[in-house]
Each structure stands twice: as structure tokens, then as C-alpha cells.
Amino acid sequence: MPTDNKIHFLLIPHIGPGHTIPMIDMAKLLANQPNVTVTLATTPLNIARYGSAIIDPFRFLELPFPAVEAGLPEGCESTDKIPSIDLVPNFLTAIDMLQQKLEQRFHTIKPRVNCIISDKYMSWTGDFADKYKIPRIMFDGMSCFNELCYNNLYEHKVFEEMPESEPFVVPGLPDRIELTRKQLPPEFNPSSIDTSVFRQRARDAEVRAYGVVINSFEELEQECVKEYKKLRNGKVWCIGPLSLCNSDKSNKELIDDEKCLKWLDSREPDSVVYVSFGSLVRVNTPQLIELGLGLEASNRPFIWVIKSVHREKEVEEWLAESGFEERIKDRGLIIRGWAPQVPILSHPSVGAFLTHCGWNSTLESVCAGVPMITWPQFAEQFINEQLIVQVLGLGVGVGADSVVHVGEEDRFGVKVKRESIKNAVENVMDGGSQENERRMRSKEFGKIANNAIKEGGSSYLNLTLLIQDIMHHENAEASSKKVDI
Ligand code: UDP
């Protein structure tokens, strides 16, 4: 039996905001359940970044990050802090070295760990869990829709013979969706940095996992949940939207809530377009300027989060010298760096989210009942766009037609013109009958999402089922040991 009848979960997130934030939320959610203990293992700077605001009853286990040992600059402990694309292989090496760090400290974790929940891209956790004979549940930060798409693309490889711009139907999905080879994630459409070994290891560890925990809710993608459960022997638990478990704020970095929320207070309901591309996308300068001009042409109030990273000087020069910031100052707010995204989206003045379609951003928009203007960039974002626009009818695309690989942004130039941006904004904000219907659907899904995590809701129930499953597994293991004796 588990010690004191308690189940102890060890959570191991991948170190990047889009993966760490939902895992921190998951830790809070689990730790607030009766008979559950939670430890979350991550690196010192990530504990400092996300942990300062947390008073919840879970513990951190610090894993020193071997940045310098792996040839990275000191303090480079998160995917959004990698200074140059050439250093990605070093970052992946450092991630693998965390296995040894955890092995050195594992004996200090008390009580005994009964279940590991680890990110798909911490693929070493597969071997680790096997070594210590602990069931491991994978977290991938994506929807069941997405998991099914990946699985079917791995199995059927229908895209292989296709010209790169010709649409094909993704096989075996409950919904008909079309993609082109140019829009596929790096597993099927590699960039110039070779990450194939890393991705294959992640896939192998995924297939071996005991189960999968999903940041989504069943009502959003009922048929896909059913299909994905069939594929994984029923061991799939949708326990999201995880961001809703937050009444506090998990990321204190550069948050300037006051100013931003006050600015929103002075605007009409549903009138503001919020524009952000998440934590990793690096839009090239000409495209960023085109986006600014598209927003200006749309004539709507907007909040625009600019992460210029390596091009800070260029972007600042344009903002100042072109007169852009001055021209839009009465209806546009520019946030440099990190924005309080969840509070912004939840504000009643926000009427649309121009998003790169990262899964967290997508789900946060759904929770807030805000329709989306979709501009996917890379990874699984084109698949998410299909779910938002084609399947759920919650958004309108700007017309992005291919992945912009990380680190190769400058090669792609201006892919989306200001007129397309303006048209998509107008389409979502214009008050016509289609727009009204989309807005109503968004608000309806928002209500369903909020109910899913409440007592009696689908995700609440799934969380209980997950804990019970691990308890049964523990008990079965204990009985089989007795028989052996
Ligand atoms: N985020 C934020 N402020 C920002 C940028 C991002 O709070 O300025 C959060 C956002 O709310 C989401 C996460 O960072 O929870 C980004 O995850 P997502 O999956 O959308 O995109 P990624 O960054 O992984 O591409």
C-alpha cells in the first residue's frame, strides 16, 4: 500500500514556458486533492521564475542545470532563453544530463514515489521510470485531436509522396481536415537543425508510457477523446483547462498587470484585439512591421506583445522613427516582454486574440470565451489552427500557408501581408451575423470549459479517476509482491 494511504506524484516538466506553466498548474491541482502528495522536479531558475507566487501544498525538487557543462551560457535554463539556434543541441544535451541529477537526489524524495508524470520531451524519464519500476504518465501539452493527428501521420505517412503545397486529408480522424506538407510539424517536415534523434526518442518513450494526461476537456473534442482512448487502452485523462486552476499568477516575470488592466478598463466590451505569439516565436523585423501596419489599418484598439529578442534595436528604431507608436498611442498598447496573458484574455474588453495557436494560448482563449485570429508559425500550431477554425468554428485564419522554422525566420521574409491581417481582424470583429455566431459559440465553450473543472465536471471526474487508477495499480503491485513471497 502507498505510505499513509497517500499517492505521491513526481512531476517532471520540460523546461520552457509552454510546457512548464501547465505542469505547475497540474501540480497545484493534484496537490489540492485528498491523499495526494506532489513533488515537482525542475531547475533553480525555473523554480525562481514560477515558484515565487506559489503557496500551494506541493514541493519543488531542485535539479541543478548543467548549462555551462553543456556549452550554454550561464542561466540559460529555458527554451525561451536559448540565445541562438546553434545552441539547441547543447540545450538538448543539458536536458539529458538531468537524468543523472535526478538519480543522485531520488533517494531524498519521501515518501516513495508512486507515479511519475513527465513531459514527452524529457524522454530520459522513460528509462528512469523503468529503472525504478514506477508507472510513468506522459504529458505533451497538446489536445487529443493533436495526439491523434500525430499518431496517424506516423502510421500512414500519406504526406510523403505529396508535393509540398498540395493539401491532403489527415487520415483516421473523426473530422475531415486538410494540411500541406509545408505546414507539418518538424517530425514530418524537418528544419535545418537536425533534431530527429531527440524526437524519435521522445516518440519511443511516448509509446511505452503507462498513460497520457491531457490539458483539454472532453466536451471540446469528444470524438477524438474516444478515439485516442481506444489507441491507449483507455489510459487517457483529460483534466484541463489547467490554467483555470489559478487564482494566483504563476509567472511574476515582468508582469505589469496594473497598467495593462487599467487600460483595458477604459475600453468598450469585446472591442480590443490582443496580439501575442507566445514565448518562442521570433517574428522577423519586416514581418513584424507588416503586422503593426495591419493592426493600424484595422482601426481597432489593440494590445500587442512584442518579443523582439535579438532584433530589439531594429524594432525599437522602427517603433520610434516611423512614428508608429505615436500614431497608435490613443488606441494601441505595446507590451515589451512578458504579458499577463490569462488576466488580459479574461478581461471583458478583449474581443479577439490574434494568436500563433500554441495549445496553451488556444485553450486560454477558449476558457475566456474569446474568438481567435489564427496565425500559426511552427510545431503543431497548424494542426491547432484546423481545430479552431474548421472543426470548432472559433476563429478565422490570416492565411499563413507554411511553417516558419525556428531560427530560419529571416529566410521567410514577409509571408502575411497587412491587408490579410486587416481583413482577418475585421472578419472576427465586424459585428455581422457570422461574427456574432462565432462569438456566441466562443462564449458557450468558455462556460463549458469553466464547468469542466468544477466539482461534478468532466475534468474534475477524470482527475479523480487518474488518482484511483494509480492507487489500484499500487495495490495490485503490492498484492503481486505478497504472492511472490
Ligand atoms: N505567456 C504569457 N505571457 C506572454 C507570453 C506567453 O503569459 O507574454 C504564456 C501563455 O499564457 C501560455 C504560455 O505562456 O500559457 C505559452 O504557451 P503556448 O503553448 O501558447 O505557446 P508557446 O510559448 O509554447 O509557443
Side-chain angles (χ1 to χ4, degrees):
M1 285 290 282
T3 320
D4 301 333
N5 260 345
K6 271 199 160 194
I7 290 290
H8 187 177
F9 286 93
L10 172 62
L11 270 52
I12 311 175
H14 180 35
I15 45 177
H19 292 252
T20 309
I21 295 171
M23 201 67 114
I24 297 258
D25 290 341
M26 196 190 306
K28 291 181 201 166
L29 202 63
L30 280 166
N32 282 322
Q33 300 301 306
N35 300 323
V36 172
T37 306
V38 178
T39 301
L40 187 140
T42 191
T43 70
L45 289 182
N46 281 293
I47 296 176
R49 184 171 177 182
Y50 303 103
S52 61
I54 296 171
I55 348 146
D56 297 72
F58 76 87
R59 296 172 299 197
F60 283 104
L61 175 75
E62 195 173 282
L63 302 178
F65 193 64
V68 177
E69 242 174 285
L72 295 165
E74 184 87 54
C76 176
E77 283 187 22
S78 180
T79 47
D80 61 334
K81 305 284 182 200
I82 303 175
S84 124
I85 209 69
D86 317 334
L87 289 172
V88 168
N90 304 56
F91 192 80
L92 301 182
T93 304
I95 280 185
D96 278 342
M97 288 159 82
L98 290 177
Q99 175 169 1
Q100 193 203 8
K101 308 280 175 202
L102 181 58
E103 288 189 357
Q104 285 161 355
R105 287 157 184 77
F106 193 55
H107 66 278
T108 65
I109 309 180
K110 300 277 178 310
R112 187 172 66 82
V113 172
N114 309 103
C115 178
I116 291 175
I117 303 183
S118 61
D119 194 283
K120 175 177 173 180
Y121 294 106
M122 304 298 263
S123 50
W124 56 265
T125 57
D127 293 339
F128 181 88
D130 290 349
K131 178 170 170 184
Y132 291 92
K133 298 194 171 38
I134 301 169
R136 178 180 53 94
I137 292 177
M138 181 196 83
F139 175 67
D140 188 8
M142 303 205 292
S143 60
C144 288
F145 178 81
N146 225 310
E147 298 292 356
L148 269 184
C149 268
Y150 265 67
N151 188 71
N152 296 353
L153 290 171
Y154 267 118
E155 292 210 336
H156 303 297
K157 300 222 171 8
V158 278
F159 53 90
E160 269 182 352
E161 303 301 319
M162 299 295 292
E164 62 168 15
S165 301
E166 200 165 310
F168 64 89
V169 176
V170 180
L173 289 183
D175 306 284
R176 184 191 154 89
I177 65 152
E178 288 188 346
L179 290 168
T180 66
R181 200 148 61 81
K182 284 201 302 189
Q183 296 174 328
L184 292 177
E187 283 78 357
F188 316 108
N189 170 26
S191 72
S192 58
I193 341 157
D194 183 10
T195 51
S196 54
V197 173
F198 165 76
R199 290 182 191 281
Q200 191 52 49
R201 281 179 54 218
R203 172 73 179 160
D204 293 344
E206 169 187 356
V207 173
R208 278 155 53 209
Y210 175 80
V212 183
V213 72
I214 299 276
N215 183 14
S216 180
F217 55 104
E218 294 195 349
E219 295 85 340
L220 189 72
E221 41 168 358
Q222 223 131 25
E223 290 307 310
C224 290
V225 177
K226 258 194 228 157
E227 286 303 308
Y228 190 47
K229 276 190 180 168
K230 275 190 216 157
L231 206 80
R232 302 248 18 159
N233 289 327
K235 300 224 180 281
V236 173
W237 297 275
C238 292
I239 60 168
L242 292 166
S243 63
L244 287 178
C245 78
N246 265 319
S247 45
D248 64 347
K249 296 175 193 75
S250 296
N251 194 317
K252 284 286 180 198
E253 192 184 59
L254 299 175
I255 281 191
D256 191 6
D257 301 29
E258 280 290 298
K259 179 176 166 211
C260 174
L261 298 178
K262 265 205 188 116
W263 187 89
L264 280 168
D265 285 344
S266 67
R267 304 281 150 181
E268 297 290 312
D270 293 334
S271 68
V272 175
V273 181
Y274 170 62
V275 184
S276 171
F277 290 99
S279 64
L280 300 176
V281 171
R282 298 167 181 192
V283 179
N284 69 46
T285 308
Q287 180 66 84
L288 196 114
I289 294 173
E290 197 70 12
L291 164 59
L293 297 174
L295 290 174
E296 185 178 9
S298 78
N299 235 350
R300 310 267 167 186
F302 61 85
I303 293 184
W304 182 15
V305 186
I306 299 187
K307 282 188 183 54
S308 40
V309 198
H310 310 295
R311 306 179 180 89
E312 205 159 0
K313 196 162 161 272
E314 244 170 82
V315 172
E316 287 305 327
E317 268 169 21
W318 171 70
L319 285 170
E321 287 166 18
S322 69
F324 177 83
E325 206 163 5
E326 179 61 25
R327 290 200 303 277
I328 54 91
K329 72 172 191 298
D330 292 334
R331 64 183 176 85
L333 179 70
I334 293 177
I335 299 182
R336 292 158 169 90
W338 194 261
Q341 178 158 306
V342 171
I344 290 177
L345 283 171
S346 313
H347 195 286
S349 297
V350 173
F353 181 13
L354 197 167
T355 171
H356 71 307
C357 308
W359 183 243
N360 295 293
S361 294
T362 303
L363 211 50
E364 286 159 9
S365 202
V366 169
C367 292
V370 172
M372 285 166 263
I373 300 157
T374 56
W375 188 344
Q377 305 279 332
F378 54 71
E380 87 295 357
Q381 294 158 11
F382 282 86
I383 300 176
N384 294 339
E385 179 185 48
Q386 289 291 319
L387 179 68
I388 299 164
V389 177
Q390 301 301 336
V391 179
L392 299 171
L394 301 179
V396 170
V398 296
D401 69 349
S402 80
V403 160
V404 175
H405 288 299
V406 185
E408 298 176 23
E409 297 82 4
D410 292 332
R411 187 162 76 73
F412 288 87
V414 174
K415 297 226 15 128
V416 178
K417 293 272 167 48
R418 70 191 76 166
E419 292 74 28
S420 312
I421 298 161
K422 173 177 174 268
N423 290 343
V425 170
E426 277 172 0
N427 221 324
V428 174
M429 300 290 283
D430 72 355
S433 64
Q434 262 194 333
E435 188 258 335
N436 278 334
E437 200 190 314
R438 193 181 303 113
R439 194 167 294 286
M440 273 163 56
R441 283 174 71 76
S442 303
K443 292 200 193 283
E444 196 50 40
F445 268 115
K447 280 191 206 136
I448 301 172
N450 280 273
N451 285 333
I453 61 148
K454 290 189 184 142
E455 201 169 335
S458 60
S459 293
Y460 187 93
L461 177 66
N462 284 331
L463 189 72
T464 312
L465 292 175
L466 163 67
I467 296 165
Q468 283 174 358
D469 185 289
I470 299 301
M471 261 179 192
H472 289 150
H473 182 272
E474 264 297 320
N475 292 339
E477 288 285 300
S479 318
S480 76
K481 273 183 199 143
K482 267 190 209 148
V483 172
D484 284 352
I485 293 163

PDB file of all heavy atoms in Angstrom, residues 314-335:
ATOM      1  N   GLU A 314      16.604  47.089 -33.784  1.00  0.00           N
ATOM      2  CA  GLU A 314      15.910  47.330 -35.057  1.00  0.00           C
ATOM      3  C   GLU A 314      14.435  47.661 -34.833  1.00  0.00           C
ATOM      4  O   GLU A 314      13.897  48.604 -35.406  1.00  0.00           O
ATOM      5  CB  GLU A 314      15.939  46.018 -35.839  1.00  0.00           C
ATOM      6  CG  GLU A 314      16.697  46.014 -37.125  1.00  0.00           C
ATOM      7  CD  GLU A 314      16.806  44.578 -37.621  1.00  0.00           C
ATOM      8  OE1 GLU A 314      15.863  44.045 -38.254  1.00  0.00           O
ATOM      9  OE2 GLU A 314      17.869  43.982 -37.340  1.00  0.00           O
ATOM     10  N   VAL A 315      13.818  46.871 -33.976  1.00  0.00           N
ATOM     11  CA  VAL A 315      12.383  47.025 -33.753  1.00  0.00           C
ATOM     12  C   VAL A 315      12.106  48.340 -33.025  1.00  0.00           C
ATOM     13  O   VAL A 315      11.195  49.088 -33.398  1.00  0.00           O
ATOM     14  CB  VAL A 315      11.839  45.811 -32.961  1.00  0.00           C
ATOM     15  CG1 VAL A 315      10.396  46.041 -32.549  1.00  0.00           C
ATOM     16  CG2 VAL A 315      11.964  44.554 -33.791  1.00  0.00           C
ATOM     17  N   GLU A 316      12.912  48.628 -32.018  1.00  0.00           N
ATOM     18  CA  GLU A 316      12.721  49.884 -31.277  1.00  0.00           C
ATOM     19  C   GLU A 316      12.901  51.080 -32.199  1.00  0.00           C
ATOM     20  O   GLU A 316      12.167  52.056 -32.105  1.00  0.00           O
ATOM     21  CB  GLU A 316      13.693  49.967 -30.088  1.00  0.00           C
ATOM     22  CG  GLU A 316      13.346  49.041 -28.926  1.00  0.00           C
ATOM     23  CD  GLU A 316      11.920  49.228 -28.387  1.00  0.00           C
ATOM     24  OE1 GLU A 316      11.401  50.353 -28.412  1.00  0.00           O
ATOM     25  OE2 GLU A 316      11.329  48.215 -27.959  1.00  0.00           O
ATOM     26  N   GLU A 317      13.877  50.978 -33.094  1.00  0.00           N
ATOM     27  CA  GLU A 317      14.116  52.084 -34.037  1.00  0.00           C
ATOM     28  C   GLU A 317      12.882  52.305 -34.905  1.00  0.00           C
ATOM     29  O   GLU A 317      12.441  53.427 -35.105  1.00  0.00           O
ATOM     30  CB  GLU A 317      15.326  51.762 -34.927  1.00  0.00           C
ATOM     31  CG  GLU A 317      16.614  52.298 -34.328  1.00  0.00           C
ATOM     32  CD  GLU A 317      17.844  51.754 -35.057  1.00  0.00           C
ATOM     33  OE1 GLU A 317      17.728  51.301 -36.223  1.00  0.00           O
ATOM     34  OE2 GLU A 317      18.899  51.774 -34.421  1.00  0.00           O
ATOM     35  N   TRP A 318      12.336  51.196 -35.400  1.00  0.00           N
ATOM     36  CA  TRP A 318      11.154  51.339 -36.257  1.00  0.00           C
ATOM     37  C   TRP A 318       9.983  51.944 -35.461  1.00  0.00           C
ATOM     38  O   TRP A 318       9.317  52.873 -35.943  1.00  0.00           O
ATOM     39  CB  TRP A 318      10.726  49.981 -36.838  1.00  0.00           C
ATOM     40  CG  TRP A 318       9.405  50.113 -37.535  1.00  0.00           C
ATOM     41  CD1 TRP A 318       9.176  50.780 -38.703  1.00  0.00           C
ATOM     42  CD2 TRP A 318       8.136  49.637 -37.072  1.00  0.00           C
ATOM     43  NE1 TRP A 318       7.830  50.747 -39.010  1.00  0.00           N
ATOM     44  CE2 TRP A 318       7.173  50.045 -38.024  1.00  0.00           C
ATOM     45  CE3 TRP A 318       7.716  48.905 -35.961  1.00  0.00           C
ATOM     46  CZ2 TRP A 318       5.814  49.749 -37.892  1.00  0.00           C
ATOM     47  CZ3 TRP A 318       6.368  48.601 -35.830  1.00  0.00           C
ATOM     48  CH2 TRP A 318       5.431  49.028 -36.784  1.00  0.00           C
ATOM     49  N   LEU A 319       9.772  51.429 -34.248  1.00  0.00           N
ATOM     50  CA  LEU A 319       8.644  51.921 -33.453  1.00  0.00           C
ATOM     51  C   LEU A 319       8.741  53.436 -33.249  1.00  0.00           C
ATOM     52  O   LEU A 319       7.754  54.163 -33.345  1.00  0.00           O
ATOM     53  CB  LEU A 319       8.612  51.222 -32.085  1.00  0.00           C
ATOM     54  CG  LEU A 319       8.109  49.777 -32.074  1.00  0.00           C
ATOM     55  CD1 LEU A 319       8.351  49.136 -30.714  1.00  0.00           C
ATOM     56  CD2 LEU A 319       6.630  49.702 -32.435  1.00  0.00           C
ATOM     57  N   ALA A 320       9.969  53.902 -32.980  1.00  0.00           N
ATOM     58  CA  ALA A 320      10.151  55.321 -32.687  1.00  0.00           C
ATOM     59  C   ALA A 320      10.222  56.157 -33.970  1.00  0.00           C
ATOM     60  O   ALA A 320       9.485  57.126 -34.140  1.00  0.00           O
ATOM     61  CB  ALA A 320      11.416  55.502 -31.856  1.00  0.00           C
ATOM     62  N   GLU A 321      11.093  55.711 -34.905  1.00  0.00           N
ATOM     63  CA  GLU A 321      11.400  56.576 -36.062  1.00  0.00           C
ATOM     64  C   GLU A 321      10.280  56.633 -37.097  1.00  0.00           C
ATOM     65  O   GLU A 321      10.104  57.632 -37.780  1.00  0.00           O
ATOM     66  CB  GLU A 321      12.711  56.136 -36.712  1.00  0.00           C
ATOM     67  CG  GLU A 321      13.899  56.514 -35.843  1.00  0.00           C
ATOM     68  CD  GLU A 321      15.183  55.825 -36.260  1.00  0.00           C
ATOM     69  OE1 GLU A 321      15.255  55.318 -37.402  1.00  0.00           O
ATOM     70  OE2 GLU A 321      16.110  55.796 -35.434  1.00  0.00           O
ATOM     71  N   SER A 322       9.500  55.561 -37.208  1.00  0.00           N
ATOM     72  CA  SER A 322       8.429  55.580 -38.208  1.00  0.00           C
ATOM     73  C   SER A 322       7.216  56.348 -37.689  1.00  0.00           C
ATOM     74  O   SER A 322       6.268  56.598 -38.423  1.00  0.00           O
ATOM     75  CB  SER A 322       7.990  54.149 -38.520  1.00  0.00           C
ATOM     76  OG  SER A 322       7.334  53.613 -37.385  1.00  0.00           O
ATOM     77  N   GLY A 323       7.236  56.652 -36.401  1.00  0.00           N
ATOM     78  CA  GLY A 323       6.098  57.368 -35.819  1.00  0.00           C
ATOM     79  C   GLY A 323       4.951  56.426 -35.462  1.00  0.00           C
ATOM     80  O   GLY A 323       3.874  56.852 -35.053  1.00  0.00           O
ATOM     81  N   PHE A 324       5.184  55.107 -35.603  1.00  0.00           N
ATOM     82  CA  PHE A 324       4.094  54.140 -35.366  1.00  0.00           C
ATOM     83  C   PHE A 324       3.519  54.279 -33.957  1.00  0.00           C
ATOM     84  O   PHE A 324       2.310  54.437 -33.773  1.00  0.00           O
ATOM     85  CB  PHE A 324       4.612  52.706 -35.595  1.00  0.00           C
ATOM     86  CG  PHE A 324       3.577  51.645 -35.313  1.00  0.00           C
ATOM     87  CD1 PHE A 324       2.636  51.308 -36.274  1.00  0.00           C
ATOM     88  CD2 PHE A 324       3.535  50.990 -34.077  1.00  0.00           C
ATOM     89  CE1 PHE A 324       1.670  50.340 -36.017  1.00  0.00           C
ATOM     90  CE2 PHE A 324       2.576  50.023 -33.816  1.00  0.00           C
ATOM     91  CZ  PHE A 324       1.650  49.697 -34.787  1.00  0.00           C
ATOM     92  N   GLU A 325       4.406  54.232 -32.976  1.00  0.00           N
ATOM     93  CA  GLU A 325       3.920  54.225 -31.594  1.00  0.00           C
ATOM     94  C   GLU A 325       3.146  55.510 -31.289  1.00  0.00           C
ATOM     95  O   GLU A 325       2.140  55.482 -30.584  1.00  0.00           O
ATOM     96  CB  GLU A 325       5.097  54.037 -30.629  1.00  0.00           C
ATOM     97  CG  GLU A 325       4.644  53.416 -29.334  1.00  0.00           C
ATOM     98  CD  GLU A 325       5.766  52.835 -28.493  1.00  0.00           C
ATOM     99  OE1 GLU A 325       6.948  52.980 -28.848  1.00  0.00           O
ATOM    100  OE2 GLU A 325       5.432  52.233 -27.456  1.00  0.00           O
ATOM    101  N   GLU A 326       3.619  56.604 -31.845  1.00  0.00           N
ATOM    102  CA  GLU A 326       2.959  57.888 -31.646  1.00  0.00           C
ATOM    103  C   GLU A 326       1.569  57.874 -32.320  1.00  0.00           C
ATOM    104  O   GLU A 326       0.565  58.270 -31.723  1.00  0.00           O
ATOM    105  CB  GLU A 326       3.877  58.982 -32.233  1.00  0.00           C
ATOM    106  CG  GLU A 326       3.366  60.403 -32.156  1.00  0.00           C
ATOM    107  CD  GLU A 326       3.125  60.884 -30.725  1.00  0.00           C
ATOM    108  OE1 GLU A 326       3.771  60.349 -29.806  1.00  0.00           O
ATOM    109  OE2 GLU A 326       2.260  61.783 -30.551  1.00  0.00           O
ATOM    110  N   ARG A 327       1.528  57.342 -33.551  1.00  0.00           N
ATOM    111  CA  ARG A 327       0.263  57.353 -34.309  1.00  0.00           C
ATOM    112  C   ARG A 327      -0.817  56.505 -33.634  1.00  0.00           C
ATOM    113  O   ARG A 327      -1.995  56.831 -33.695  1.00  0.00           O
ATOM    114  CB  ARG A 327       0.484  56.794 -35.729  1.00  0.00           C
ATOM    115  CG  ARG A 327       1.286  57.678 -36.657  1.00  0.00           C
ATOM    116  CD  ARG A 327       1.048  57.297 -38.115  1.00  0.00           C
ATOM    117  NE  ARG A 327       1.333  55.907 -38.445  1.00  0.00           N
ATOM    118  CZ  ARG A 327       2.537  55.408 -38.733  1.00  0.00           C
ATOM    119  NH1 ARG A 327       3.591  56.201 -38.717  1.00  0.00           N
ATOM    120  NH2 ARG A 327       2.690  54.143 -39.027  1.00  0.00           N
ATOM    121  N   ILE A 328      -0.382  55.378 -32.994  1.00  0.00           N
ATOM    122  CA  ILE A 328      -1.411  54.474 -32.457  1.00  0.00           C
ATOM    123  C   ILE A 328      -1.639  54.695 -30.955  1.00  0.00           C
ATOM    124  O   ILE A 328      -2.400  53.954 -30.335  1.00  0.00           O
ATOM    125  CB  ILE A 328      -1.063  52.986 -32.739  1.00  0.00           C
ATOM    126  CG1 ILE A 328       0.346  52.591 -32.232  1.00  0.00           C
ATOM    127  CG2 ILE A 328      -1.140  52.673 -34.214  1.00  0.00           C
ATOM    128  CD1 ILE A 328       0.398  52.070 -30.863  1.00  0.00           C
ATOM    129  N   LYS A 329      -0.997  55.706 -30.401  1.00  0.00           N
ATOM    130  CA  LYS A 329      -0.963  55.778 -28.930  1.00  0.00           C
ATOM    131  C   LYS A 329      -2.354  55.880 -28.274  1.00  0.00           C
ATOM    132  O   LYS A 329      -2.533  55.455 -27.152  1.00  0.00           O
ATOM    133  CB  LYS A 329      -0.018  56.884 -28.444  1.00  0.00           C
ATOM    134  CG  LYS A 329      -0.474  58.299 -28.646  1.00  0.00           C
ATOM    135  CD  LYS A 329       0.505  59.236 -27.927  1.00  0.00           C
ATOM    136  CE  LYS A 329       0.038  60.653 -27.824  1.00  0.00           C
ATOM    137  NZ  LYS A 329      -0.185  61.393 -29.049  1.00  0.00           N
ATOM    138  N   ASP A 330      -3.340  56.384 -29.002  1.00  0.00           N
ATOM    139  CA  ASP A 330      -4.665  56.509 -28.386  1.00  0.00           C
ATOM    140  C   ASP A 330      -5.457  55.208 -28.405  1.00  0.00           C
ATOM    141  O   ASP A 330      -6.483  55.097 -27.752  1.00  0.00           O
ATOM    142  CB  ASP A 330      -5.477  57.597 -29.105  1.00  0.00           C
ATOM    143  CG  ASP A 330      -4.862  58.956 -28.836  1.00  0.00           C
ATOM    144  OD1 ASP A 330      -4.209  59.096 -27.774  1.00  0.00           O
ATOM    145  OD2 ASP A 330      -4.997  59.849 -29.697  1.00  0.00           O
ATOM    146  N   ARG A 331      -5.026  54.268 -29.216  1.00  0.00           N
ATOM    147  CA  ARG A 331      -5.819  53.026 -29.240  1.00  0.00           C
ATOM    148  C   ARG A 331      -4.978  51.756 -29.216  1.00  0.00           C
ATOM    149  O   ARG A 331      -5.512  50.653 -29.321  1.00  0.00           O
ATOM    150  CB  ARG A 331      -6.745  53.003 -30.456  1.00  0.00           C
ATOM    151  CG  ARG A 331      -6.021  52.990 -31.746  1.00  0.00           C
ATOM    152  CD  ARG A 331      -6.986  53.031 -32.910  1.00  0.00           C
ATOM    153  NE  ARG A 331      -6.251  53.123 -34.149  1.00  0.00           N
ATOM    154  CZ  ARG A 331      -5.766  52.091 -34.801  1.00  0.00           C
ATOM    155  NH1 ARG A 331      -5.965  50.871 -34.360  1.00  0.00           N
ATOM    156  NH2 ARG A 331      -5.088  52.251 -35.913  1.00  0.00           N
ATOM    157  N   GLY A 332      -3.665  51.914 -29.086  1.00  0.00           N
ATOM    158  CA  GLY A 332      -2.821  50.723 -29.055  1.00  0.00           C
ATOM    159  C   GLY A 332      -1.909  50.734 -27.846  1.00  0.00           C
ATOM    160  O   GLY A 332      -1.388  51.774 -27.460  1.00  0.00           O
ATOM    161  N   LEU A 333      -1.751  49.568 -27.235  1.00  0.00           N
ATOM    162  CA  LEU A 333      -0.815  49.449 -26.103  1.00  0.00           C
ATOM    163  C   LEU A 333       0.214  48.386 -26.479  1.00  0.00           C
ATOM    164  O   LEU A 333      -0.160  47.256 -26.825  1.00  0.00           O
ATOM    165  CB  LEU A 333      -1.585  49.021 -24.849  1.00  0.00           C
ATOM    166  CG  LEU A 333      -0.747  48.820 -23.593  1.00  0.00           C
ATOM    167  CD1 LEU A 333      -0.224  50.149 -23.067  1.00  0.00           C
ATOM    168  CD2 LEU A 333      -1.583  48.140 -22.501  1.00  0.00           C
ATOM    169  N   ILE A 334       1.475  48.774 -26.424  1.00  0.00           N
ATOM    170  CA  ILE A 334       2.525  47.799 -26.743  1.00  0.00           C
ATOM    171  C   ILE A 334       3.139  47.305 -25.436  1.00  0.00           C
ATOM    172  O   ILE A 334       3.513  48.112 -24.577  1.00  0.00           O
ATOM    173  CB  ILE A 334       3.596  48.442 -27.646  1.00  0.00           C
ATOM    174  CG1 ILE A 334       2.969  48.743 -29.011  1.00  0.00           C
ATOM    175  CG2 ILE A 334       4.804  47.522 -27.814  1.00  0.00           C
ATOM    176  CD1 ILE A 334       3.882  49.450 -29.977  1.00  0.00           C
ATOM    177  N   ILE A 335       3.211  45.993 -25.293  1.00  0.00           N
ATOM    178  CA  ILE A 335       3.883  45.416 -24.118  1.00  0.00           C
ATOM    179  C   ILE A 335       5.180  44.790 -24.604  1.00  0.00           C
ATOM    180  O   ILE A 335       5.159  43.948 -25.519  1.00  0.00           O
ATOM    181  CB  ILE A 335       3.015  44.338 -23.445  1.00  0.00           C
ATOM    182  CG1 ILE A 335       1.695  44.951 -22.968  1.00  0.00           C
ATOM    183  CG2 ILE A 335       3.752  43.675 -22.290  1.00  0.00           C
ATOM    184  CD1 ILE A 335       0.786  43.964 -22.234  1.00  0.00           C
TER     185      ILE A 335
END
